[in-house]
């Protein structure tokens, strides 16, 4: 039974939490201090220019003046970190998601990160002050040099201690997302995705084949320029043209196209890759990196990727436009630790799935468990859990995966019940774990896919998200046209 909270206690808690806004004027005061330092900078610069023009500036004077300017700039940088980072951490979130100038550190700022950055900034400022003393050593007393050095070393020691302590703190805060062996079982006795628990039929989360519209014919597989990874043979299944797709709950093998090997993955159906496109491979056929990490490879195999995709292999010249800096920043996989989302939006064949899988591989290599499936497969999985009365348990079990990838949103509209299941998935993971979503249409048009559930779903999905738009023609169509021309 849910615990009933005392209304008085709840109101008091909200009132105390609202007092954080008392800090807002303090940060605006620091903005005014930033203006003072701007004035001081140009005053020092003007004095240096006058001295140089008049010919009275010695080399020592110029060096000291430049160090003063550097000192002012570093203190101004310290103020920016306190203003932006402190306000974001202790007062209210700053909605900069998707802005090309968003500072990299702001996406994962917290009290520990802020303290370490402040400490390192203070060490830098102290270094400039100490250098000024040594440059002007003839006018600096030995006592001042001694204590300046001691204070500087104290700053260095304190920064090192803070950095050392922040590591265990962050690890403890995100302990729920720590790496687990693929053999581990999720809570409530559930096996990881793609594995059936003992005593249960493997079809507990049956895959589904969703009908593809004829106008999506450009999503057929193509052979890439790079070397194609080997694929395990699949059991063929012949389906007559025009026949209806199998219903959810019936696992139907897929008939591969002539000359194209089909993927085999436990609990997953074949998926159509995005451009760049290696043919999907069996998990056991994924090749190791030059310095293989056994645990990372196990996580990659368990993720159910349709193929091994790497950021380094992405053809950045193909899309006419996309934010390369944002994609490079996402490649560090910090967004998973920060529980942020990523949404790739663009026409078919522009590389959305390639980038999504590549980020998933990076997350696996960073120690996170990842799970990949198309939107249709997620719909079948959630519908199966709901039908057996264990939807809440399934959503909780998915918490073992800090990153879920939902591919191909928008290619098939969903009914109201299925849209509600997707909303529950997004709402459950909101500010708790990360999602990567690929879609052929912007979030503002998701009502065409999810109906009335779309606004509430996209609001939660986009709140802490990097939205990357890709523009261009289909990679597969371009290759087919080029092959025809040859």
């Amino acid at each position: 039974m849910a615990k009933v909270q005392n209304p008085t206690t709840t109101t008091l808690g909200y009132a105390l939490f609202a007092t954080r806004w008392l800090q807002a004027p303090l940060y605006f005061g620091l903005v005014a201090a930033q203006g003072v330092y701007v004035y001081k900078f140009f005053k020092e610069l003007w004095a240096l220019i006058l001295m140089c023009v008049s010919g009275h500036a010695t080399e020592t004077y110029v060096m000291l003046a430049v160090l003063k300017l550097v000192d002012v700039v570093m203190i101004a940088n310290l103020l920016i970190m306190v203003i932006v980072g402190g306000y974001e951490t202790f007062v209210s979130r700053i909605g900069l998601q998707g802005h090309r100038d968003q500072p990299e550190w702001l996406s994962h700022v917290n009290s520990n990160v802020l303290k370490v950055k402040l400490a390192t900034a203070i060490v830098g400022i102290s270094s400039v002050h100490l250098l000024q003393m040594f440059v002007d050593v003839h006018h600096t007393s030995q006592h001042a040099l001694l204590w300046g050095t001691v204070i500087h070393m104290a700053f260095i020691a304190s920064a090192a201690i803070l950095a050392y302590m922040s590591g265990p703190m962050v690890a403890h805060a995100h302990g729920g997302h720590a790496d687990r062996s693929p053999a581990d079982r999720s809570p409530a006795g559930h096996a990881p995705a793609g594995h059936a628990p003992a005593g249960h039929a493997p079809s507990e989360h049956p895959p589904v084949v969703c009908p593809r519209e004829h106008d999506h014919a450009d999503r057929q597989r193509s052979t890439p320029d790079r070397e194609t990874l080997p694929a395990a043979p699949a059991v063929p299944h012949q389906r007559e043209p025009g026949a209806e797709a199998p219903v959810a709950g019936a696992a139907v093998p897929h008939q591969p196209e002539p000359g194209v090997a089909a993927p085999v993955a436990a609990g997953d159906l074949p998926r159509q890759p995005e451009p760049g496109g290696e043919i999907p491979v069996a998990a056991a056929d994924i090749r190791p990196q030059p310095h293989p990490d056994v645990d990372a490879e196990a996580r990659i195999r368990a993720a159910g990727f349709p193929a091994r995709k790497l950021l380094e292999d992405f053809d950045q010249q193909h899309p006419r436009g996309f934010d390369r800096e944002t994609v490079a920043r996402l490649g560090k996989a910090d967004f998973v630790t920060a529980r942020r989302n990523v949404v790739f939006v663009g026409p078919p064949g522009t590389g959305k799935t390639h980038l999504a899988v590549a980020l998933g591989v990076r997350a696996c290599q960073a120690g996170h468990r990842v799970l990949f499936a198309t939107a249709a497969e997620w719909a079948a999985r959630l519908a199966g859990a709901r039908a057996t009365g264990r939807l809440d348990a399934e959503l909780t079990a998915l918490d073992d995966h800090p990153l879920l990838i939902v591919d191909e949103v928008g290619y098939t509209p969903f009914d109201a019940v299925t849209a509600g299941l997707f909303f529950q998935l997004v709402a459950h993971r909101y500010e708790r774990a990360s999602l990567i979503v690929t879609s052929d249409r912007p979030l503002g048009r998701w009502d065409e896919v999810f109906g009335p559930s779309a606004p509430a779903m996209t609001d939660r999905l986009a709140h802490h998200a990097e939205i990357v738009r890709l523009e261009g023609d289909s990679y597969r169509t371009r290759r087919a046209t080029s092959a025809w021309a040859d």
Side-chain angles (χ1 to χ4, degrees):
M1 180 179 293
K3 181 179 180 181
V4 179
Q5 294 184 341
N6 189 325
T8 303
T9 304
T10 303
T11 303
L12 180 60
Y14 279 118
L16 290 175
F17 184 62
T19 59
R20 72 191 191 280
W21 287 101
L22 294 175
Q23 294 190 47
L26 305 183
Y27 292 104
F28 285 106
L30 291 179
V31 172
Q34 183 93 332
V36 172
Y37 268 96
V38 171
Y39 169 77
K40 180 177 175 61
F41 177 89
F42 284 103
K43 181 180 178 181
E44 295 286 348
L45 180 62
W46 181 248
L48 174 61
I49 294 174
L50 290 180
M51 288 293 290
C52 291
V53 171
S54 64
H56 295 95
T58 64
E59 182 178 356
T60 301
Y61 174 82
V62 173
M63 187 177 297
L64 289 173
V66 171
L67 286 175
K68 285 183 180 179
L69 296 178
V70 173
D71 187 28
V72 171
V73 171
M74 294 184 71
I75 294 177
N77 292 340
L78 178 64
L79 282 173
I80 284 294
M81 279 192 289
V82 174
I83 293 170
V84 179
Y87 186 90
E88 168 88 8
T89 303
F90 301 109
V91 180
S92 182
R93 298 185 183 277
I94 302 177
L96 297 178
Q97 290 77 18
H99 195 285
R100 64 169 51 250
D101 294 329
Q102 178 185 356
E104 179 181 345
W105 55 270
L106 189 59
S107 64
H108 54 269
V109 69
N110 54 51
S111 57
N112 288 325
V113 172
L114 188 59
K115 285 187 291 186
V116 172
K117 288 188 174 293
L118 293 179
T120 53
I122 291 173
V123 169
I125 295 171
S126 174
S127 301
V128 173
H129 278 278
L130 189 60
L131 183 58
Q132 285 178 308
M133 290 183 181
F134 280 102
V135 170
D136 197 24
V137 67
H138 297 295
H139 298 86
T140 306
S141 65
Q142 186 176 7
H143 181 269
L145 283 175
L146 174 63
W147 280 107
T149 304
V150 170
I151 293 172
H152 179 64
M153 297 304 297
F155 283 145
I156 293 177
S158 61
I161 293 173
L162 275 175
Y164 174 78
M165 293 177 62
S166 65
M169 291 179 181
V170 172
H172 177 73
H174 301 290
H177 299 296
D179 170 43
R180 303 191 182 188
S181 168
D184 289 346
R185 300 300 182 189
S186 55
H190 303 305
H195 299 274
H200 290 74
S203 60
E204 184 177 355
H205 303 293
V208 65
V209 177
C210 285
R212 302 288 184 182
E213 299 294 334
H214 292 294
D215 59 345
H216 293 140
D218 65 335
R219 298 183 63 79
Q220 298 299 320
R221 295 184 181 88
S222 62
T223 304
D225 293 330
R226 292 175 296 276
E227 177 185 357
T228 303
L229 299 178
V235 179
H237 173 78
Q238 191 68 32
R239 186 154 59 107
E240 306 234 359
E244 294 185 356
V247 297
V252 181
H254 178 73
Q255 173 65 33
E257 297 175 7
V260 178
V264 177
D268 289 328
L269 289 179
R271 288 178 270 275
Q272 305 290 349
E274 285 282 349
E278 284 110 2
I279 299 173
V281 300
D285 293 325
I286 296 177
R287 295 177 297 183
Q289 296 295 313
H291 301 286
D293 181 337
V294 176
D295 292 336
E297 291 299 321
R299 287 188 291 270
I300 292 173
R301 288 195 297 270
F305 297 127
R308 169 72 71 92
K309 307 282 189 178
L310 301 177
L311 287 179
E312 294 81 2
D313 294 337
F314 184 71
D315 184 1
Q316 297 194 16
Q317 303 305 317
H318 169 63
R320 285 198 298 267
F322 76 103
D323 194 337
R324 291 169 174 80
E325 294 180 0
T326 297
V327 172
R329 184 173 70 248
L330 293 172
K332 299 178 182 179
D334 292 340
F335 72 96
V336 182
T337 304
R339 303 181 178 95
R340 296 173 64 84
N341 302 323
V342 180
V343 181
F344 291 108
V345 179
T350 50
K352 302 184 296 296
T353 299
H354 186 126
L355 292 175
V357 173
L359 292 184
V361 170
R362 287 285 183 91
C364 290
Q365 293 169 342
H368 304 290
R369 297 180 68 188
V370 181
L371 200 57
F372 178 101
T374 64
E377 291 166 348
W378 282 116
R381 178 171 184 151
L382 296 175
R386 180 178 179 272
T388 57
R390 46 182 303 276
L391 179 60
D392 291 340
E394 178 68 14
L395 294 175
T396 302
L398 290 174
D399 289 342
D400 278 354
H401 297 79
L403 175 61
L404 301 182
I405 301 178
V406 183
D407 193 28
E408 300 179 351
V409 170
Y411 291 94
T412 302
F414 296 107
D415 56 33
V417 175
T418 305
L421 294 175
F422 270 102
F423 171 77
Q424 291 187 62
L425 176 65
V426 173
H428 179 83
R429 296 183 71 83
Y430 175 63
E431 295 187 334
R432 183 180 302 180
S434 298
L435 286 167
I436 294 180
V437 180
T438 71
S439 178
D440 68 334
R441 62 198 70 195
L443 298 182
R445 292 177 52 197
W446 275 25
D447 57 323
E448 301 169 7
V449 183
F450 297 105
S453 301
M457 184 189 309
T458 56
D459 178 69
R460 288 166 173 79
L461 181 66
H463 184 203
H464 306 297
E466 295 279 3
I467 300 177
V468 181
R469 294 175 176 83
L470 295 96
E471 301 175 358
D473 301 323
S474 170
Y475 181 90
R476 290 177 289 271
T477 301
R478 185 188 69 174
R479 283 187 51 81
T481 303
S482 175
W484 179 83
D486 293 341

